[in-house]
């Protein structure tokens, strides 16, 4: 049994899994176009988090993904399109409530060091003003974050998308688990907390965890598809890391067998 924030994919068709983009907008154009051209009835698209990031224009990357979603849904072919939460989206969510943090300046600097600056800037935010607000106190921070929130609202679809992200996705038979970064092998699927987007274990460690999965309540899972990670294993191993050195898209059959890998 899974909670409402874990998507359950319908049976049949292919699964297109888009790995971490980290804000890359231009490299996203080709795989997005390929999915649209080759979309068939029953196909599914799962965007594996970390759409935002420091490597390009994250605002435009979201625009492209929203456009792809609209075009897929407009084909009148029954389909699933899901967006998962990654570390970058989680940090952005936390930033918008920065005034409630115990040590806001430390939290801000920690997130900026992990790639959040480009997202702040894409919504017109000034980082030094944010640091100054952190020193001034909660009221000043709230004014700064309200400005970011209003800028996000001004970009059509951005707030709706980022406020409705799924934590993970499961195939119709429960054999495939898709997440942004991995899983915590010691906890059931419904009790993963933030492990879906913060886990950075190796492919081999996660593969071993899948072997033991039944002991913690996810016996049916046989393969993990994650958006980013060390990615040292082959694509036919129990753990498939989609984005490695560069953003990538993979196509899988209903059994989770890799049909194609497209790298930007």
């Amino acid at each position: 049994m899974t909670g409402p924030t874990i998507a359950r994919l319908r049976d049949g068709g292919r699964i297109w899994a888009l790995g971490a983009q980290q804000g890359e907008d231009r490299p996203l154009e080709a795989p997005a176009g390929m999915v649209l051209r080759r979309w068939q009835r029953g196909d599914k698209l799962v965007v594996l988090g970390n759409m935002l990031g420091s490597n390009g224009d994250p605002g435009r990357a979201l625009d492209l993904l929203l456009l792809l979603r609209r075009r897929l849904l407009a084909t009148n072919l029954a389909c699933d399109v899901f967006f998962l939460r990654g570390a970058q989206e989680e940090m952005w969510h936390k930033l918008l409530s920065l005034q409630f943090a115990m040590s806001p300046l430390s939290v801000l600097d920690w997130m900026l060091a992990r790639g959040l600056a480009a997202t702040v800037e894409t919504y017109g935010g000034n980082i030094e003003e944010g640091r100054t607000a952190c020193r001034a106190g909660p009221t000043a921070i709230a004014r700064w974050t309200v400005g970011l929130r209003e800028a996000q609202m001004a970009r059509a679809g951005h707030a709706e998308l980022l406020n409705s992200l799924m934590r993970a996705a499961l195939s119709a038979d429960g054999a495939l688990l898709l997440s942004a970064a991995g899983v915590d092998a010691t906890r059931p699927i419904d009790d993963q907390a933030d492990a879906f987007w913060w886990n950075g274990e190796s492919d081999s460690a996660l593969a071993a965890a899948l072997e033991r999965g039944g002991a913690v309540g996810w016996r049916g899972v046989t393969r993990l598809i994650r958006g980013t990670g060390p990615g040292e294993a082959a694509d036919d191993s129990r753990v498939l890391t989609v984005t490695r050195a560069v953003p990538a898209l993979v196509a899988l059959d209903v059994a989770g067998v890799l049909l194609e890998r497209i790298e930007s």
Side-chain angles (χ1 to χ4, degrees):
M1 189 70 176
T2 58
T5 57
I6 297 180
R8 177 71 77 160
L9 306 180
R10 283 180 281 194
D11 199 8
R14 296 168 295 183
I15 300 173
W16 296 90
L18 183 67
Q21 296 297 302
Q22 298 292 345
E24 295 272 19
D25 54 317
R26 293 192 181 281
L28 179 57
E29 295 174 356
M34 180 174 293
V35 170
L36 186 61
R37 289 192 301 273
R38 296 169 58 182
W39 195 254
Q40 299 174 9
R41 184 175 299 277
D43 280 3
K44 279 89 53 183
L45 171 66
V46 183
V47 180
L48 299 171
N50 291 301
M51 301 165 282
L52 305 175
S54 61
N55 295 336
D57 182 341
R60 182 170 183 268
L62 284 190
D63 288 337
L64 290 171
L65 288 169
L66 286 164
L67 177 61
L68 174 61
R69 179 181 181 274
R70 290 196 299 272
R71 288 178 171 173
L72 292 176
L73 295 178
T75 62
N76 292 321
L77 300 176
C79 62
D80 291 328
V81 181
F82 292 110
F83 294 82
L84 306 186
R85 181 181 300 273
Q88 291 293 326
E89 292 77 39
E90 175 67 5
M91 288 191 292
W92 174 247
H93 175 74
K94 296 296 186 186
L95 181 71
L96 294 180
S97 299
L98 185 62
Q99 61 268 28
F100 301 112
M102 293 293 293
S103 302
L105 183 56
S106 297
V107 172
L108 176 61
D109 284 340
W110 185 89
M111 294 190 292
L112 293 173
R114 286 158 179 79
L116 196 64
T119 304
V120 173
E121 291 168 354
T122 206
Y123 292 117
N126 183 290
I127 291 168
E128 287 309 313
E129 288 179 1
R131 287 196 174 103
T132 299
C134 287
R135 297 185 185 98
T139 301
I141 299 171
R143 284 197 295 267
W144 186 66
T145 58
V146 164
L148 295 174
R149 195 183 299 273
E150 289 175 347
Q152 177 187 253
M153 292 291 292
R155 298 286 293 265
H158 285 213
E160 292 81 0
L161 172 62
L162 294 172
N163 289 331
S164 61
L165 299 174
M166 307 300 286
R167 295 172 60 236
L170 279 168
S171 59
D173 62 2
L176 304 182
L177 174 63
L178 299 95
S179 72
V183 291
D184 180 342
T186 67
R187 289 183 282 179
I189 288 177
D190 286 332
D191 193 29
Q192 286 291 307
D194 58 2
F196 285 136
W197 46 86
W198 285 123
N199 187 291
E201 290 189 83
S202 67
D203 289 352
S204 57
L206 288 171
L210 288 179
E211 295 283 357
R212 306 187 300 271
V216 293
W218 33 291
R219 184 182 303 278
V221 177
T222 60
R223 195 168 199 210
L224 170 67
I225 311 298
R226 62 175 176 170
T228 187
E232 80 282 359
D235 279 347
D236 60 355
S237 67
R238 188 181 286 269
V239 177
L240 170 60
T241 299
V242 179
T243 288
R244 295 169 180 170
V246 296
L249 167 76
V250 298
L252 309 164
D253 69 10
V254 292
V257 175
L258 181 72
L259 301 174
E260 193 169 3
R261 168 181 281 273
I262 302 102
E263 294 188 335
S264 302

